Structures are given as structure tokens and as C-alpha cells.
Coordinates of all heavy atoms in Angstrom, one line a residue:
M1 N 255.7 146.0 -42.9 CA 254.2 145.7 -43.2 C 253.8 146.6 -44.3 O 254.1 147.8 -44.4 CB 253.4 146.1 -41.9 CG 252.1 145.5 -41.9 SD 251.1 146.0 -40.4 CE 251.8 144.7 -39.3
R2 N 253.1 146.1 -45.3 CA 252.7 146.7 -46.4 C 251.4 147.4 -46.1 O 250.6 147.1 -45.2 CB 252.3 145.7 -47.5 CG 253.6 145.3 -48.2 CD 253.4 144.3 -49.3 NE 253.7 143.0 -48.9 CZ 253.3 142.0 -49.6 NH1 252.7 142.1 -50.7 NH2 253.6 140.8 -49.1
D3 N 251.1 148.6 -46.8 CA 249.9 149.3 -46.6 C 248.6 148.5 -46.5 O 247.8 148.8 -45.5 CB 249.6 150.4 -47.6 CG 250.7 151.5 -47.7 OD1 251.2 151.6 -46.5 OD2 250.8 152.3 -48.6
G4 N 248.3 147.6 -47.3 CA 247.1 146.9 -47.2 C 247.0 146.0 -45.9 O 245.8 145.6 -45.5
Q5 N 248.1 145.7 -45.3 CA 248.0 144.9 -44.1 C 247.6 145.7 -42.8 O 247.2 145.1 -41.8 CB 249.4 144.3 -43.8 CG 249.7 143.1 -44.9 CD 251.1 142.7 -44.8 OE1 251.9 143.3 -44.5 NE2 251.2 141.3 -45.2
Y6 N 247.7 146.9 -42.8 CA 247.3 147.7 -41.7 C 245.9 147.7 -41.4 O 245.5 147.8 -40.2 CB 247.6 149.3 -41.9 CG 249.2 149.5 -42.0 CD1 249.9 149.9 -43.0 CD2 250.0 149.4 -40.7 CE1 251.2 150.2 -42.9 CE2 251.3 149.5 -40.7 CZ 252.0 150.0 -41.8 OH 253.2 150.2 -41.7
E7 N 245.0 147.4 -42.4 CA 243.6 147.3 -42.1 C 243.3 146.2 -41.2 O 242.3 146.2 -40.4 CB 242.8 147.2 -43.5 CG 242.8 148.4 -44.3 CD 242.2 148.3 -45.6 OE1 241.5 147.3 -45.9 OE2 242.5 149.1 -46.4
K8 N 244.1 145.2 -41.3 CA 243.9 143.9 -40.4 C 244.3 144.2 -38.9 O 243.9 143.5 -38.0 CB 244.7 142.8 -40.9 CG 244.2 142.3 -42.3 CD 245.0 141.2 -42.8 CE 244.6 140.7 -44.2 NZ 245.5 139.7 -44.9
V9 N 245.3 145.2 -38.7 CA 245.8 145.7 -37.5 C 245.0 146.7 -36.7 O 244.8 146.6 -35.5 CB 247.3 145.9 -37.6 CG1 247.9 146.3 -36.3 CG2 248.1 144.8 -38.2
F10 N 244.6 147.8 -37.5 CA 243.9 148.9 -36.7 C 242.5 148.9 -37.2 O 242.2 148.6 -38.3 CB 244.8 150.2 -37.3 CG 246.1 150.1 -36.8 CD1 247.2 150.0 -37.8 CD2 246.5 150.5 -35.6 CE1 248.5 150.1 -37.5 CE2 247.8 150.6 -35.2 CZ 248.8 150.3 -36.1
R11 N 241.8 149.5 -36.2 CA 240.4 149.7 -36.5 C 240.0 151.2 -36.3 O 240.8 152.0 -35.7 CB 239.6 148.9 -35.5 CG 239.7 147.5 -35.7 CD 238.9 146.7 -34.7 NE 239.8 146.7 -33.5 CZ 239.2 146.2 -32.3 NH1 238.0 145.8 -32.2 NH2 240.0 146.1 -31.3
G12 N 238.8 151.7 -36.7 CA 238.4 153.0 -36.5 C 238.2 153.3 -35.1 O 238.3 152.5 -34.2
I13 N 238.0 154.7 -34.8 CA 238.0 155.1 -33.5 C 236.7 155.7 -33.2 O 236.7 156.6 -32.2 CB 239.2 156.1 -33.2 CG1 239.3 157.2 -34.2 CG2 240.5 155.3 -33.2 CD1 240.2 158.4 -33.8
R14 N 235.7 155.5 -34.0 CA 234.5 156.2 -33.6 C 233.8 156.0 -32.2 O 233.4 156.9 -31.6 CB 233.3 155.6 -34.6 CG 233.6 156.1 -36.0 CD 232.5 155.6 -36.9 NE 232.9 156.0 -38.4 CZ 232.3 155.5 -39.4 NH1 231.3 154.7 -39.2 NH2 232.6 155.8 -40.5
A15 N 234.2 154.9 -31.6 CA 233.6 154.6 -30.2 C 234.3 155.4 -29.2 O 233.8 156.0 -28.3 CB 233.8 153.1 -29.9
V16 N 235.6 155.8 -29.5 CA 236.4 156.7 -28.6 C 235.8 158.1 -28.7 O 235.6 158.8 -27.7 CB 237.9 156.6 -28.9 CG1 238.5 157.7 -28.2 CG2 238.5 155.1 -28.7
Q17 N 235.5 158.4 -30.0 CA 234.9 159.8 -30.2 C 233.6 159.9 -29.5 O 233.3 161.0 -28.8 CB 234.8 160.1 -31.7 CG 236.2 160.2 -32.4 CD 235.9 160.3 -33.9 OE1 234.9 159.9 -34.5 NE2 237.0 160.7 -34.5
R18 N 232.8 159.0 -29.5 CA 231.4 158.9 -28.8 C 231.6 158.9 -27.4 O 231.0 159.7 -26.6 CB 230.6 157.7 -29.2 CG 230.2 157.8 -30.7 CD 229.2 156.6 -31.0 NE 228.9 156.7 -32.4 CZ 229.0 155.8 -33.3 NH1 229.6 154.6 -32.9 NH2 228.8 156.0 -34.6
T19 N 232.5 158.2 -26.8 CA 232.9 158.2 -25.3 C 233.3 159.6 -25.1 O 232.8 160.1 -24.0 CB 234.0 157.2 -24.9 OG1 233.5 155.9 -25.3 CG2 234.4 157.2 -23.5
Q20 N 234.1 160.3 -25.7 CA 234.7 161.6 -25.4 C 233.6 162.6 -25.4 O 233.4 163.5 -24.7 CB 235.8 162.0 -26.3 CG 236.5 163.4 -26.0 CD 237.1 163.2 -24.7 OE1 237.9 162.4 -24.4 NE2 236.9 164.2 -23.8
G21 N 232.6 162.4 -26.3 CA 231.5 163.3 -26.5 C 230.6 163.3 -25.3 O 230.1 164.1 -24.8
V22 N 230.4 162.0 -24.8 CA 229.6 161.8 -23.6 C 230.3 162.4 -22.5 O 229.7 163.2 -21.7 CB 229.3 160.3 -23.4 CG1 228.7 160.2 -22.0 CG2 228.5 159.7 -24.4
R23 N 231.6 162.2 -22.3 CA 232.3 162.7 -21.3 C 232.2 164.3 -21.4 O 232.1 164.9 -20.3 CB 233.8 162.2 -21.3 CG 234.8 162.7 -20.2 CD 236.2 162.3 -20.6 NE 237.0 163.2 -19.8 CZ 237.7 162.8 -18.8 NH1 237.7 161.6 -18.4 NH2 238.6 163.6 -18.1
D24 N 232.6 164.9 -22.5 CA 232.5 166.3 -22.5 C 231.1 166.9 -22.2 O 231.1 167.9 -21.5 CB 232.7 166.8 -24.0 CG 234.2 166.5 -24.5 OD1 235.0 166.2 -23.7 OD2 234.4 166.5 -25.7
Q25 N 230.1 166.3 -22.6 CA 228.7 166.7 -22.2 C 228.6 166.6 -20.6 O 227.9 167.6 -20.1 CB 227.6 166.0 -22.9 CG 227.6 166.5 -24.4 CD 226.3 166.1 -25.0 OE1 225.2 166.4 -24.5 NE2 226.3 165.6 -26.2
L26 N 229.0 165.6 -20.1 CA 229.0 165.5 -18.6 C 229.7 166.6 -17.9 O 229.2 167.3 -16.9 CB 229.3 164.2 -18.2 CG 228.3 163.0 -18.2 CD1 229.1 161.6 -18.0 CD2 227.2 163.2 -17.2
V27 N 230.9 166.9 -18.5 CA 231.8 167.8 -17.7 C 231.2 169.2 -18.0 O 231.1 170.1 -16.9 CB 233.3 167.8 -18.5 CG1 234.0 169.0 -18.1 CG2 233.9 166.4 -17.9
Q28 N 230.7 169.5 -19.1 CA 230.1 170.8 -19.4 C 228.8 171.0 -18.5 O 228.5 172.1 -17.8 CB 229.7 171.1 -20.8 CG 230.9 171.0 -21.7 CD 230.5 170.9 -23.1 OE1 229.4 170.8 -23.6 NE2 231.5 170.8 -24.1
A29 N 228.0 169.9 -18.2 CA 226.9 170.1 -17.5 C 227.3 170.4 -15.8 O 226.5 171.2 -15.2 CB 226.0 168.9 -17.6
I30 N 228.3 169.7 -15.5 CA 228.8 169.9 -14.1 C 229.4 171.4 -14.0 O 229.1 172.1 -13.1 CB 229.9 168.9 -13.8 CG1 229.2 167.5 -13.6 CG2 230.6 169.2 -12.4 CD1 230.0 166.3 -13.5
E31 N 230.1 171.8 -15.0 CA 230.8 173.1 -15.1 C 229.6 174.2 -14.9 O 229.9 175.2 -14.3 CB 231.6 173.3 -16.1 CG 233.0 172.6 -16.0 CD 233.9 172.8 -17.2 OE1 233.3 172.9 -18.4 OE2 235.1 172.6 -17.1
R32 N 228.6 174.0 -15.8 CA 227.5 175.1 -15.7 C 226.7 175.1 -14.4 O 225.9 175.9 -14.2 CB 226.6 174.7 -17.0 CG 227.1 175.1 -18.3 CD 226.1 175.1 -19.3 NE 225.4 173.8 -19.4 CZ 225.6 172.7 -20.1 NH1 226.5 172.7 -21.0 NH2 224.8 171.6 -20.1
G33 N 226.8 173.9 -13.7 CA 226.1 173.8 -12.5 C 224.7 173.1 -12.8 O 223.8 173.2 -11.9
D34 N 224.5 172.6 -14.0 CA 223.2 171.9 -14.1 C 223.2 170.5 -13.4 O 222.1 170.1 -13.1 CB 223.2 171.5 -15.7 CG 223.1 172.7 -16.6 OD1 222.6 173.7 -16.1 OD2 223.4 172.6 -17.8
L35 N 224.4 170.0 -13.2 CA 224.4 168.8 -12.3 C 225.3 169.2 -11.1 O 226.4 169.7 -11.3 CB 225.1 167.6 -12.9 CG 224.4 167.1 -14.2 CD1 225.2 166.0 -15.0 CD2 223.1 166.4 -13.6
R36 N 224.8 169.0 -9.9 CA 225.5 169.4 -8.7 C 226.0 168.2 -7.9 O 225.5 167.2 -8.1 CB 224.4 170.2 -7.8 CG 224.1 171.5 -8.5 CD 223.2 172.3 -7.6 NE 222.5 173.4 -8.3 CZ 223.2 174.6 -8.5 NH1 224.4 174.8 -8.1 NH2 222.5 175.5 -9.1
P37 N 226.9 168.4 -7.1 CA 227.4 167.3 -6.2 C 226.4 166.5 -5.5 O 225.4 167.2 -5.0 CB 228.4 167.9 -5.3 CG 228.8 169.2 -5.9 CD 227.7 169.8 -6.8
G38 N 226.4 165.2 -5.7 CA 225.4 164.3 -5.0 C 224.2 164.0 -6.0 O 223.6 163.1 -5.6
E39 N 224.1 164.7 -7.0 CA 223.0 164.5 -7.9 C 223.3 163.2 -8.7 O 224.4 162.9 -9.2 CB 222.8 165.6 -8.9 CG 221.9 166.7 -8.5 CD 221.5 167.6 -9.5 OE1 220.8 167.3 -10.5 OE2 221.9 168.7 -9.5
P40 N 222.1 162.3 -9.0 CA 222.3 161.2 -9.7 C 222.4 161.5 -11.3 O 221.8 162.6 -11.6 CB 221.1 160.4 -9.4 CG 220.1 161.3 -9.0 CD 220.7 162.6 -8.3
L41 N 223.2 160.7 -12.0 CA 223.1 160.9 -13.3 C 222.0 160.0 -14.0 O 221.6 159.0 -13.2 CB 224.5 160.3 -13.9 CG 225.8 161.1 -13.5 CD1 227.0 160.4 -14.1 CD2 225.6 162.5 -13.8
P42 N 221.6 160.2 -15.2 CA 220.6 159.3 -15.7 C 221.2 157.8 -15.8 O 222.4 157.6 -15.8 CB 220.4 159.8 -17.1 CG 220.9 161.2 -17.1 CD 222.0 161.3 -16.1
S43 N 220.2 156.9 -15.8 CA 220.7 155.5 -15.9 C 221.6 155.4 -17.3 O 221.3 156.1 -18.1 CB 219.6 154.6 -16.0 OG 218.8 154.8 -17.3
E44 N 222.4 154.3 -17.4 CA 223.2 154.2 -18.5 C 222.2 154.1 -19.9 O 222.4 154.6 -20.8 CB 224.0 152.8 -18.6 CG 225.2 152.9 -17.7 CD 226.0 151.6 -17.8 OE1 225.6 150.7 -18.4 OE2 226.9 151.6 -16.9
R45 N 221.2 153.3 -19.6 CA 220.2 153.1 -20.8 C 219.5 154.4 -21.2 O 219.5 154.6 -22.4 CB 219.2 152.1 -20.4 CG 218.2 152.0 -21.6 CD 217.1 150.9 -21.2 NE 217.8 149.5 -21.1 CZ 217.3 148.6 -20.4 NH1 216.2 148.7 -19.7 NH2 218.0 147.4 -20.4
A46 N 219.1 155.1 -20.3 CA 218.4 156.4 -20.5 C 219.4 157.5 -21.1 O 219.0 158.1 -22.1 CB 217.8 157.1 -19.3
F47 N 220.6 157.6 -20.5 CA 221.6 158.4 -21.1 C 222.0 158.1 -22.6 O 222.2 159.0 -23.4 CB 222.8 158.5 -20.1 CG 223.6 159.8 -20.1 CD1 223.1 160.8 -20.5 CD2 224.8 159.7 -19.7 CE1 223.7 162.1 -20.6 CE2 225.6 161.0 -19.5 CZ 225.0 162.1 -20.1
A48 N 222.2 156.8 -22.7 CA 222.5 156.4 -24.1 C 221.5 156.7 -25.1 O 221.7 157.2 -26.2 CB 222.8 154.8 -24.0
E49 N 220.2 156.4 -24.8 CA 219.1 156.9 -25.7 C 219.0 158.3 -26.0 O 218.9 158.8 -26.9 CB 217.8 156.3 -25.1 CG 217.7 154.8 -25.2 CD 216.4 154.3 -24.5 OE1 215.6 155.0 -24.2 OE2 216.3 153.0 -24.4
L50 N 219.3 159.1 -24.8 CA 219.2 160.5 -24.9 C 220.2 161.1 -25.9 O 220.0 162.0 -26.7 CB 219.4 161.2 -23.5 CG 219.4 162.6 -23.5 CD1 218.0 163.2 -23.7 CD2 219.8 163.1 -22.1
L51 N 221.6 160.6 -25.8 CA 222.6 161.1 -26.6 C 222.8 160.3 -27.9 O 223.6 160.6 -28.8 CB 223.9 160.9 -25.9 CG 223.9 161.8 -24.7 CD1 225.3 161.5 -23.8 CD2 223.7 163.2 -24.9
G52 N 222.0 159.2 -28.1 CA 222.1 158.4 -29.4 C 223.5 157.8 -29.5 O 224.0 157.5 -30.6
V53 N 223.9 157.1 -28.4 CA 225.1 156.4 -28.3 C 224.9 155.0 -27.7 O 223.8 154.8 -27.1 CB 226.3 157.2 -27.7 CG1 226.6 158.5 -28.3 CG2 226.0 157.4 -26.2
S54 N 226.0 154.2 -27.7 CA 225.8 152.9 -27.0 C 225.9 153.0 -25.5 O 226.6 153.9 -25.1 CB 226.8 151.9 -27.5 OG 228.1 152.3 -27.1
R55 N 225.5 152.2 -24.9 CA 225.7 152.0 -23.4 C 227.1 151.8 -23.1 O 227.5 152.4 -22.0 CB 224.9 151.0 -22.7 CG 223.3 151.2 -22.7 CD 222.5 150.0 -22.2 NE 222.8 149.7 -20.8 CZ 222.5 148.7 -20.1 NH1 221.8 147.8 -20.8 NH2 222.8 148.4 -18.9
V56 N 227.8 151.2 -23.9 CA 229.3 151.0 -23.7 C 229.9 152.5 -23.6 O 230.9 152.8 -22.8 CB 230.0 150.1 -24.8 CG1 231.4 150.2 -24.7 CG2 229.4 148.8 -24.7
A57 N 229.6 153.3 -24.7 CA 230.2 154.6 -24.7 C 229.9 155.4 -23.3 O 230.7 156.1 -22.8 CB 229.7 155.5 -25.9
V58 N 228.6 155.4 -23.0 CA 228.2 156.0 -21.7 C 229.0 155.4 -20.4 O 229.6 156.1 -19.7 CB 226.8 155.8 -21.3 CG1 226.4 156.3 -19.9 CG2 226.0 156.6 -22.4
R59 N 229.1 154.1 -20.4 CA 229.9 153.4 -19.3 C 231.4 153.8 -19.2 O 231.8 154.1 -18.3 CB 229.7 151.9 -19.4 CG 230.3 151.2 -18.3 CD 230.0 149.6 -18.4 NE 228.5 149.4 -18.7 CZ 228.2 148.6 -19.7 NH1 229.1 148.3 -20.7 NH2 226.9 148.5 -20.0
E60 N 232.0 153.9 -20.5 CA 233.4 154.2 -20.5 C 233.6 155.7 -20.2 O 234.5 155.9 -19.4 CB 234.0 154.0 -21.9 CG 234.0 152.5 -22.1 CD 234.6 152.2 -23.5 OE1 235.0 153.2 -24.4 OE2 234.7 151.0 -24.0
A61 N 232.7 156.6 -20.6 CA 232.9 157.9 -20.1 C 232.6 158.2 -18.6 O 233.5 158.8 -18.0 CB 231.7 158.7 -20.9
I62 N 231.7 157.5 -17.9 CA 231.5 157.5 -16.6 C 232.7 157.0 -15.7 O 233.2 157.5 -14.9 CB 230.1 156.8 -16.2 CG1 229.0 157.7 -16.6 CG2 230.0 156.6 -14.7 CD1 227.6 157.0 -16.5
R63 N 233.2 155.9 -16.3 CA 234.3 155.2 -15.6 C 235.6 156.2 -15.6 O 236.4 156.2 -14.8 CB 234.8 153.9 -16.3 CG 233.7 152.8 -16.0 CD 233.6 152.2 -14.6 NE 232.6 151.3 -14.5 CZ 231.9 151.1 -13.4 NH1 232.1 151.8 -12.4 NH2 230.9 150.2 -13.4
S64 N 235.8 156.9 -16.8 CA 236.8 157.7 -16.9 C 236.8 158.9 -16.0 O 237.8 159.4 -15.4 CB 237.1 158.2 -18.4 OG 236.1 159.1 -18.8
L65 N 235.5 159.4 -15.8 CA 235.2 160.5 -14.8 C 235.3 160.0 -13.5 O 235.7 160.8 -12.6 CB 233.9 161.2 -15.2 CG 233.9 162.0 -16.5 CD1 232.5 162.4 -16.8 CD2 234.8 163.2 -16.4
E66 N 235.2 158.7 -13.3 CA 235.1 158.2 -11.8 C 236.6 158.2 -11.5 O 237.0 158.5 -10.4 CB 234.5 156.9 -11.9 CG 234.8 156.2 -10.5 CD 234.2 154.7 -10.5 OE1 234.2 154.1 -11.4 OE2 233.6 154.5 -9.4
A67 N 237.6 157.8 -12.4 CA 238.9 157.8 -12.1 C 239.5 159.1 -11.7 O 240.6 159.0 -11.1 CB 239.7 157.2 -13.4
V68 N 239.0 160.2 -12.2 CA 239.6 161.4 -11.9 C 238.7 162.1 -10.7 O 239.1 163.2 -10.4 CB 239.8 162.4 -13.1 CG1 240.7 161.9 -14.1 CG2 238.4 162.6 -13.7
G69 N 237.8 161.4 -10.1 CA 237.0 161.9 -9.0 C 235.9 162.9 -9.3 O 235.5 163.6 -8.5
V70 N 235.5 162.8 -10.5 CA 234.3 163.7 -10.8 C 233.0 163.0 -10.7 O 232.0 163.7 -10.3 CB 234.5 164.2 -12.3 CG1 233.2 165.0 -12.8 CG2 235.7 164.9 -12.5
V71 N 232.9 161.6 -10.9 CA 231.7 160.9 -10.6 C 231.9 159.8 -9.6 O 233.1 159.3 -9.6 CB 231.2 160.3 -12.1 CG1 230.1 159.3 -11.9 CG2 230.9 161.5 -13.1
E72 N 230.9 159.4 -8.9 CA 230.9 158.3 -8.1 C 230.0 157.2 -8.6 O 228.9 157.5 -9.0 CB 230.5 158.6 -6.7 CG 231.4 159.3 -5.7 CD 230.7 159.5 -4.5 OE1 229.9 158.7 -4.0 OE2 231.0 160.7 -3.9
V73 N 230.5 156.0 -8.7 CA 229.7 154.9 -9.1 C 229.5 154.1 -7.9 O 230.3 153.5 -7.1 CB 230.3 154.0 -10.2 CG1 229.4 152.8 -10.6 CG2 230.6 155.0 -11.5
R74 N 228.1 154.0 -7.4 CA 227.7 153.2 -6.3 C 227.0 152.0 -6.9 O 226.0 152.1 -7.6 CB 226.7 154.0 -5.4 CG 227.4 155.2 -5.0 CD 226.5 156.1 -4.1 NE 227.0 157.4 -3.9 CZ 226.2 158.3 -3.6 NH1 225.0 158.2 -3.4 NH2 226.9 159.6 -3.4
E75 N 227.5 150.8 -6.6 CA 227.0 149.5 -7.1 C 225.5 149.3 -6.7 O 225.0 149.7 -5.5 CB 227.8 148.4 -6.5 CG 227.5 147.0 -7.2 CD 228.5 145.9 -6.7 OE1 229.6 146.2 -6.4 OE2 228.0 144.8 -6.7
R76 N 224.7 149.1 -7.7 CA 223.3 149.0 -7.5 C 222.5 150.2 -7.3 O 221.3 150.1 -7.1 CB 222.9 147.8 -6.5 CG 223.5 146.4 -7.0 CD 223.1 145.4 -6.0 NE 223.7 144.2 -6.3 CZ 223.2 143.0 -6.6 NH1 221.9 142.9 -6.3 NH2 223.8 142.0 -6.8
R77 N 223.1 151.3 -7.2 CA 222.5 152.5 -6.9 C 222.6 153.5 -8.2 O 221.6 154.4 -8.3 CB 222.9 153.2 -5.6 CG 222.6 152.2 -4.4 CD 222.9 152.8 -3.2 NE 222.0 154.1 -3.1 CZ 222.4 155.2 -2.2 NH1 223.6 155.3 -1.9 NH2 221.5 156.2 -2.2
G78 N 223.6 153.5 -8.9 CA 223.8 154.3 -10.0 C 225.0 155.2 -9.9 O 225.9 155.0 -9.0
S79 N 225.0 156.2 -10.7 CA 226.2 157.1 -10.7 C 225.8 158.4 -10.4 O 224.7 158.9 -10.7 CB 226.7 157.1 -12.2 OG 227.2 155.9 -12.6
F80 N 226.8 159.1 -9.6 CA 226.4 160.5 -9.0 C 227.4 161.3 -9.3 O 228.7 161.0 -9.4 CB 226.1 160.3 -7.6 CG 224.9 159.3 -7.2 CD1 225.2 158.0 -7.2 CD2 223.8 159.9 -6.9 CE1 224.1 157.2 -6.8 CE2 222.8 158.9 -6.5 CZ 223.0 157.7 -6.6
V81 N 227.2 162.7 -9.3 CA 228.2 163.6 -9.4 C 229.0 163.5 -7.9 O 228.3 163.7 -7.0 CB 227.7 165.0 -9.6 CG1 228.7 166.1 -9.7 CG2 226.8 165.0 -10.9
A82 N 230.4 163.5 -8.0 CA 231.1 163.4 -6.9 C 231.1 164.8 -6.1 O 230.9 165.9 -6.6 CB 232.6 163.0 -7.1
G83 N 231.3 164.7 -4.8 CA 231.3 165.8 -3.9 C 232.4 166.9 -4.4 O 232.0 168.0 -4.4
G84 N 233.5 166.6 -4.8 CA 234.4 167.5 -5.2 C 234.5 167.5 -6.7 O 235.8 167.8 -7.2
A85 N 233.5 167.4 -7.5 CA 233.4 167.2 -8.8 C 234.3 168.3 -9.6 O 235.1 168.1 -10.5 CB 232.1 167.1 -9.5
R86 N 234.0 169.6 -9.2 CA 234.4 170.8 -9.9 C 236.1 170.8 -9.7 O 236.7 171.1 -10.5 CB 233.8 172.0 -9.4 CG 232.3 172.0 -9.8 CD 231.8 173.4 -9.6 NE 231.4 173.9 -10.9 CZ 230.7 175.0 -11.0 NH1 230.6 175.7 -10.0 NH2 230.4 175.3 -12.3
A87 N 236.5 170.5 -8.6 CA 237.9 170.5 -8.3 C 238.5 169.4 -9.1 O 239.7 169.5 -9.6 CB 238.2 170.1 -6.8
G88 N 237.9 168.2 -9.4 CA 238.5 167.1 -10.2 C 238.6 167.5 -11.6 O 239.2 166.8 -12.4
L89 N 237.9 168.5 -12.1 CA 237.9 168.8 -13.5 C 239.1 169.5 -14.0 O 239.5 169.5 -14.9 CB 236.7 169.7 -13.8 CG 235.3 169.1 -13.8 CD1 234.2 170.1 -14.1 CD2 235.1 167.8 -14.7
G90 N 239.8 170.2 -12.9 CA 241.1 170.8 -13.2 C 241.1 171.9 -14.2 O 242.0 172.1 -14.9
R91 N 239.9 172.6 -14.3 CA 239.8 173.6 -15.3 C 239.6 175.0 -14.6 O 239.3 175.3 -13.6 CB 238.6 173.5 -16.1 CG 238.7 172.3 -17.1 CD 237.7 172.1 -18.0 NE 237.8 170.9 -18.7 CZ 237.0 170.5 -19.8 NH1 236.0 171.2 -20.1 NH2 237.2 169.5 -20.4

């Protein structure tokens, strides 16, 4: 493959960086104790507006934290800090 053809195959990673930024801020808030187990997170819309990112970035960050047991997503109720959130951080 020639250099000019890579542009057709690969795209920028800005969205991943935004998702990681959202995730990092959530983790830091939990580690500091600003968010405690059982506390609700802001709605996707409110959180996205607060951080200046897309709802997709917020949703992906929350889903990745759900996968490691830091956040619970309850259908039609929202997202909450999981009971064992600090243990799930592994830090």
C-alpha cells in the first residue's frame, strides 16, 4: 500500500481521546470521593454539555467503566457509581 492510500484506511482518533478524557474524569471523581457508591451520574446530555464532548463519548466512557464494575447502568433510570467502584479501579 502506498502512503497516500492510508488516508482511505485510517481515521483520526480524537473521539477515543475524548472518551478517555471522560473516563479519566469519572475515575478521578470516584477516587477523590466526590462520587460515592450508589450516587447517580449526570445524564448523558448534561455530562456531554458540561465537558464539551459528544454524548457518544460519554456513553462509551460509561460503558467501558460498566465493563470493569465501576459504574452500573440501569435501564430508564440512568447510570450510577457501582457499590464496589473503588475496588474495580484497581489502583
